[in-house]
Amino acid sequence: MSPLPLPETAPDAASKTARGRRIAVVLFNLGGPDRLEAVRPFLYNLFRDPAIIRLPTPLRQMVAHLISSRRDKVAQEIYRTLGGGSPLLPNTEAQARALEQQLWDIGTVRAFVCMRYWHPFSDAVAHDVKDWEPDEVILLPLYPQFSTTTTASSLKDWHRAAKAAGLKAPSRALCCYPDEPGFIAATAKLVRAAVEEASQHGKPRVLFSSHGLPEKVVKDGDPYQFQCERTAQAVVKALRIDGLDWVSCYQSRVGPMKWIGPSTDEEIRRAGQDKVPVVVAPIAFVSEHSETLVEIEHEYRHLAQELGVPYFVRVPTVGVEAAFIQGLAGLVRQTLTRASGGPVLCGTGLRLCPAGKAGCPQAV
């Protein structure tokens, strides 16, 4: 659908009142290649981001070219398993439409999807938002846990694009919501069903799996690991299962650097040694994509079978679960009550991260 044309003059206050309050909600996510030919440029965009590869620009671009070239064929096979492209964009679009329905009572709300490393990019989305002429803009990352490599990178790129597009509407940004009640309730519902299934084969161990980060990034003050563990603890509390066997772990390691742990594959190996069923619950992903549908569903399932794990269950992501979408709607409502143009805010309105987490935007 082509964007609506801009009026010759900006609407005055009376016309804004007549049309009702217009609120744009921008949903940020990683993005994914929509066809096999897009895999290599997607990888290049990912690894040339200074938030991901922390090297000077010329060297970073060389590294990005090298990694994307070497990983292209392997990654294409992953996306071929998914039908030739990532399902992340259509999944995120479904979340956007569901969120609009939840916010019908606060004005005219339109949710825009903005991806970091593949279409739709910030530049195009910023122009679309401007053309829609919102009165206010809410910036809502679909990363429940804040990281300098995800949320911070997306927001930085958005502000650059919004400035270039001439988008003047006041905006408010949310940084994180690792234990937002709706997100936790939706996750706990899905985990509980998986635990009940796995319990038919013994007492299961729940692996709360998040995308990993290099250890150096966390040591430099990134709060991501702290927030992932906070999510896992909140889900365990919501489950109310006596004596639940669980661990917080990390997946998707790439490169030679030391990453935070324990790794999810190490925990599957330990479960094989202990002969306990395994439930893998992705808690840092809210939409299905290659890390859930291939890495967990295929690679980790195969590994579990090889290692003699009695039973394996992958927990779906929260997607459009009612409690999760209601939770996002609540975050939008809360964010609208706060002053625009101020600091990036977390879901509680208060700083979550402990002192020493210099990467937390609340520390600025």
Side-chain angles (χ1 to χ4, degrees):
M1 180 181 294
S2 59
L4 296 173
L6 283 170
E8 293 184 2
T9 58
D12 57 22
S15 63
K16 283 185 178 182
T17 301
R19 76 182 184 188
R21 189 185 193 191
R22 290 167 71 87
I23 301 165
V25 180
V26 184
L27 300 177
F28 296 95
N29 214 325
L30 185 77
D34 50 6
R35 60 192 185 281
L36 295 180
E37 295 78 11
V39 170
R40 185 167 175 175
F42 163 77
L43 292 173
Y44 178 76
N45 291 338
L46 172 66
F47 290 109
R48 75 171 177 176
D49 183 352
I52 305 297
I53 302 293
R54 303 184 176 191
L55 294 171
T57 299
L59 184 56
R60 186 177 67 252
Q61 291 175 337
M62 290 174 59
V63 170
H65 176 75
L66 179 63
I67 295 175
S68 60
S69 299
R70 287 185 174 180
R71 291 180 59 86
D72 183 30
K73 289 185 178 180
V74 173
Q76 281 200 32
E77 288 305 311
I78 291 173
Y79 288 105
R80 189 171 281 111
T81 302
L82 297 174
S86 171
L88 187 60
L89 180 57
N91 287 346
T92 310
E93 290 283 4
Q95 291 169 323
R97 304 291 79 78
L99 181 59
E100 289 171 347
Q101 294 178 13
Q102 282 291 324
L103 294 170
W104 63 270
D105 59 321
I106 64 172
T108 302
V109 177
R110 181 171 171 186
F112 296 80
V113 172
C114 184
M115 298 299 189
R116 183 65 182 91
Y117 303 118
W118 200 243
H119 304 282
F121 292 120
S122 293
D123 292 285
V125 179
H127 279 284
D128 288 345
V129 172
K130 179 189 176 185
D131 290 350
W132 192 65
E133 298 179 343
D135 301 312
E136 300 171 83
V137 181
I138 302 297
L139 307 178
L140 179 57
L142 290 176
Y143 309 109
Q145 304 87 9
F146 179 87
S147 174
T148 55
T149 62
T150 54
T151 300
S153 177
S154 290
L155 291 178
K156 180 180 180 180
D157 194 58
W158 170 262
H159 289 306
R160 174 201 59 77
K163 182 178 180 180
L167 176 58
K168 303 295 186 182
S171 68
R172 300 170 176 85
L174 192 73
C175 69
C176 60
Y177 43 97
D179 52 3
E180 192 285 318
F183 169 53
I184 298 303
T187 304
K189 171 189 170 183
L190 297 169
V191 172
R192 185 178 293 107
V195 168
E196 290 174 356
E197 178 184 343
S199 294
Q200 304 301 312
H201 305 269
K203 183 180 178 180
R205 180 172 297 156
V206 180
L207 310 184
F208 292 106
S209 187
S210 306
H211 197 293
L213 277 183
E215 192 175 83
K216 182 181 184 303
V217 175
V218 174
K219 286 185 175 180
D220 287 344
D222 192 296
Y224 175 75
Q225 184 175 18
F226 164 78
Q227 293 200 5
C228 287
E229 292 171 0
R230 188 180 178 104
T231 298
Q233 292 164 0
V235 175
V236 170
K237 183 178 180 180
L239 286 169
R240 298 182 180 179
I241 299 176
D242 291 338
L244 181 68
D245 183 2
W246 67 276
V247 64
S248 182
C249 52
Y250 301 89
Q251 64 183 89
S252 310
R253 174 181 170 175
V254 294
M257 297 180 68
K258 184 177 181 181
W259 281 44
I260 56 176
S263 68
T264 305
D265 56 331
E266 287 172 350
E267 285 300 322
I268 292 174
R269 292 181 187 279
R270 186 167 72 92
Q273 294 171 354
D274 296 342
K275 300 301 179 184
V276 295
V278 163
V279 171
V280 181
I283 57 170
F285 308 121
V286 299
S287 305
E288 305 292 2
H289 58 310
S290 62
E291 277 85 356
T292 61
L293 299 177
V294 178
E295 187 172 16
I296 296 177
E297 178 60 36
H298 291 279
E299 295 175 10
Y300 288 159
R301 180 181 294 279
H302 180 69
L303 178 63
Q305 291 171 345
E306 282 189 334
L307 296 172
V309 172
Y311 198 73
F312 181 96
V313 184
R314 174 184 66 86
V315 179
T317 56
V318 290
V320 292
E321 284 286 325
F324 175 58
I325 299 300
Q326 290 165 6
L328 291 182
L331 291 172
V332 172
R333 295 174 192 276
Q334 293 171 27
T335 306
L336 281 168
T337 66
R338 300 167 187 165
S340 64
V344 179
L345 296 166
C346 65
T348 63
L350 302 171
R351 177 172 173 167
L352 293 176
C353 301
K357 297 298 181 184
C360 172
Q362 300 294 305
V364 178

